Amino acid sequence: MNPPAVNPPSQNQKLMELLGMDRMSLSSKTRAAQSRSEQWMRYLGFPGGILLFLLIYYLPPGAGLSASAQAGAACFALALVWWVTEPFPTYLTSLVLMFLLLITRTSEPKAIMDVLGMEVIWLNLLAFILSSMLVKVRLAKRMALWLILRFGRKASWALMAFVIIQMVLAPLIPATAARAVMTLPLMIVVAAIYGATEEHNNNFGRNLFLLNLVGISVLSSMTMTGSSANLIAVGLIQTMGGERVYYMDWVRVGAPIAIMATMMMWWLGQRLVFPIAKAERAPQLDGGLGLVEQQYAALGPLRREEKKAIAIFGLVLFLWMTDTLHMGWFGVEISAPFAALLGAVLVLFPKYGVLEWSEAEIPWHLLIFSAGAYAGGLALDDTGAAEWGVRYLLGGMDLKGVPFGVSYTVIIAVMMYSHLLTTSKTVRTLILLPIIITMAKALGWPPIAFALPAALCIDWVVGLPISGKPNVILFSTNQYSVADNFKYGFLTCTLGVVLLVVSGATWFHWLGLTPAFMAVAP
């Protein structure tokens, strides 16, 4: 009788290294071009941005823009071209934009520099400190390994385990790329267990990696802290729309949609999109789960540092989820940034904390990028350029006679599928949210009725391998093709549009967020 097959030592060693999951660093380097056409975009992006700047800046008088609005639009157009084509790192483009806003006299120096003091920038910084704590103490790793051991013996439940992992991590770690990097080793091991490798693809592997892409991206829309772009949207809704979006406000509308869509893709993917053959529904590689079990056993019992991390993050999440009750409890509102600030103090406190400042994985380049994007977006609003853009786009259409539901459906569809045209969630947010808010005001609808549902679409960047950082990371495993990605992602986005439109007519309306769908603005 032949002995059972086992992994070769070299493969075992490779998998054990992958299961280390020690860091979640985000590189500030410009990602490599994925195709020849993208290489040409980078070559042409630099002069193209400058050309567009000059064309808009020197528009003849009478174009309908004030001098400051025209300058602001020119500056933002240059930055937009460079953000999309990436001839330079995105943070460098943001710094260039901030300087251009100054020398073109579009914004005052104080207004430009003050963006670094905005609540959303601080919340980004503090959330990454808390995320670094989870990685350092290995709490995120423990949770992920336990779920795989609990559910990983049947294909459908192995897929469900990753849905649960991404659902738990999404509110805790705001960086989608970080979550992709942290869980990628587990995906590779579990895929190999079910016979899916880089050299031999199968439908289990396609479902596993694409479902994780949906989980990482779509589940980020469950909370306002799920991604940096969500926080930018909240800031725009408050500064331009005059409406404060609380943590639980977002959860009430975002979580049901994201969870339903992900669960629907878990079912549809393995049964209709990429049906898993009967032979692939059971583990194919002996010893695969044993590697995961070894890593989990090596963690030992829950350590003191992990218990501290649970207590600290539990406190922060409690304050986030009860933000509307603080005034009655404490006599003061502890906003999301200050709740995270309290958590960061406890994390970094000498002797009693769990993290040194040098151990905090803070992606400063992303914060600088966000600051520049904010400065450009606010300049568009302050100078009237955003309003001019809406008037130009709408032309002579009499939208005041259109029922709310029609305008709402168009806005949701445009926002959902727009990620196929640009790879930056932040850029999409800064372009479309100001237009949507201004449009709502012009039509006589509450800005939040359009803006918050539209903001839920920001994270659904699942259509193409170049649509987001997690997409690039997962596509690099060679477990699925571009066509596979588009097929799976387009279906996901279409389900999202349907769910958001149905919710807009029912759930959101019952919450008081949206007017009646057939209502016409006065």
Side-chain angles (χ1 to χ4, degrees):
M1 182 176 178
N2 294 329
V6 296
N7 288 330
S10 59
Q11 180 70 3
N12 277 353
Q13 183 179 2
K14 179 182 178 181
L15 294 177
M16 293 290 280
E17 291 174 356
L18 288 170
L19 281 169
M21 292 195 303
D22 292 324
R23 297 178 64 83
M24 64 162 206
S25 301
L26 300 178
S27 174
S28 60
K29 295 181 180 179
T30 302
R31 64 181 177 84
Q34 302 298 306
S35 64
R36 182 171 294 275
S37 61
E38 191 171 347
Q39 290 177 340
W40 275 106
M41 284 179 63
R42 293 188 175 183
Y43 293 145
L44 299 175
F46 174 63
I50 296 174
L51 177 61
L52 187 57
F53 170 86
L54 294 174
L55 287 174
I56 297 175
Y57 190 80
Y58 289 107
L59 278 175
L65 285 170
S66 66
S68 60
Q70 189 166 323
C75 295
F76 194 82
L78 177 143
L80 175 60
V81 171
W82 287 0
W83 280 329
V84 172
T85 59
E86 294 186 270
F88 312 110
T90 54
Y91 62 85
L92 181 58
T93 298
S94 285
L95 292 175
V96 171
L97 172 58
M98 295 168 78
F99 184 72
L100 286 175
L101 292 175
L102 173 70
I103 61 172
T104 58
R105 300 181 181 179
T106 302
S107 300
E108 294 295 325
K110 187 176 186 303
I112 298 171
M113 294 301 178
D114 279 355
V115 292
L116 280 174
M118 294 180 68
E119 281 191 357
V120 290
I121 299 294
W122 273 96
L123 185 53
N124 268 291
L125 185 152
L126 296 166
F128 278 109
I129 293 176
L130 296 175
S131 302
S132 299
M133 169 191 70
L134 294 178
V135 174
K136 183 196 172 184
V137 304
R138 304 276 181 104
L139 190 58
K141 177 179 178 179
R142 180 187 295 275
M143 175 178 59
L145 294 177
W146 181 87
L147 285 169
I148 291 300
L149 291 174
R150 179 67 178 82
F151 298 109
R153 301 185 185 279
K154 185 179 177 183
S156 60
W157 290 110
L159 295 174
M160 178 57 70
F162 278 95
V163 171
I164 296 172
I165 290 171
Q166 302 300 351
M167 195 178 300
V168 173
L169 292 180
L172 305 181
I173 300 177
T176 54
R179 297 201 299 272
V181 170
M182 288 177 62
T183 53
L184 182 61
L186 285 176
M187 295 181 217
I188 294 173
V189 171
V190 173
I193 292 170
Y194 283 86
T197 64
E198 184 175 354
E199 296 80 16
H200 176 70
N201 305 146
N202 63 24
N203 278 355
F204 175 85
R206 293 183 181 91
N207 277 288
L208 176 66
F209 284 87
L210 290 168
L211 181 62
N212 270 278
L213 176 59
V214 169
I216 291 166
S217 299
V218 173
L219 292 175
S220 294
S221 65
M222 291 196 306
T223 66
M224 59 188 271
T225 54
S227 75
S228 301
N230 295 359
L231 298 173
I232 293 173
V234 170
L236 289 172
I237 292 171
Q238 183 173 351
T239 56
M240 294 182 62
E243 294 278 357
R244 178 77 177 270
V245 178
Y246 289 92
Y247 188 88
M248 285 307 296
D249 292 335
W250 188 295
V251 170
R252 277 192 291 267
V253 297
I257 302 295
I259 293 171
M260 281 192 290
T262 306
M263 294 301 297
M264 290 172 72
M265 290 309 300
W266 169 78
W267 189 88
L268 290 171
Q270 59 185 304
R271 285 171 171 78
L272 296 176
V273 186
F274 301 116
I276 300 177
K278 187 176 181 180
E280 298 172 2
R281 297 176 191 170
Q284 307 285 307
L285 186 63
D286 294 335
L289 286 177
L291 295 175
V292 180
E293 192 168 0
Q294 288 176 31
Q295 284 286 315
Y296 185 72
L299 292 174
L302 204 64
R303 295 175 295 119
R304 184 184 178 194
E305 289 80 5
E306 292 176 274
K307 294 177 181 178
K308 286 183 181 179
I310 291 172
I312 294 170
F313 225 114
L315 174 62
V316 174
L317 288 176
F318 174 76
L319 292 174
W320 281 347
M321 291 185 291
T322 59
D323 51 7
T324 58
L325 304 174
H326 293 169
M327 191 62 68
W329 290 351
F330 312 123
V332 64
E333 179 188 330
I334 304 175
S335 63
F338 279 96
L341 178 63
L342 174 61
V345 169
L346 297 175
V347 169
L348 297 168
F349 207 83
K351 295 184 180 180
Y352 301 101
V354 296
L355 197 70
E356 298 288 338
W357 177 259
S358 59
E359 297 172 316
E361 305 264 358
I362 301 173
W364 294 104
H365 60 288
L366 292 182
L367 300 184
I368 295 298
F369 168 54
S370 297
Y374 260 124
L378 292 175
L380 289 180
D381 184 49
D382 293 340
T383 61
E387 184 178 356
W388 175 86
V390 171
R391 290 201 309 270
Y392 181 80
L393 288 172
L394 297 181
M397 295 174 61
D398 184 12
L399 293 178
K400 284 189 175 294
V402 174
F404 172 82
V406 175
S407 300
Y408 175 93
T409 302
V410 171
I411 287 171
I412 292 300
V414 170
M415 194 71 177
M416 182 67 77
Y417 296 114
S418 63
H419 79 276
L420 297 172
L421 303 176
T422 174
T423 60
S424 171
K425 291 185 292 187
T426 304
V427 170
R428 288 170 54 232
T429 305
L430 266 296
I431 294 171
L432 293 176
L433 255 293
I435 293 175
I436 290 169
I437 292 170
T438 307
M439 180 186 297
K441 293 177 181 178
L443 297 177
W445 298 116
I448 197 171
F450 282 155
L452 183 53
L456 300 181
C457 305
I458 293 170
D459 299 312
W460 294 54
V461 289
V462 293
L464 292 169
I466 60 170
S467 295
K469 290 180 180 177
N471 309 47
V472 176
I473 293 169
L474 298 188
F475 186 70
S476 67
T477 62
N478 292 323
Q479 292 277 356
Y480 56 89
S481 67
V482 175
D484 294 336
N485 194 162
F486 182 78
K487 179 180 178 181
Y488 198 94
F490 188 81
L491 177 59
T492 302
C493 291
T494 302
L495 283 174
V497 172
V498 172
L499 288 171
L500 282 165
V501 170
V502 172
S503 297
T506 56
W507 174 242
F508 296 171
H509 180 60
W510 300 334
L511 289 175
L513 176 62
T514 57
F517 251 42
M518 297 309 296
V520 178

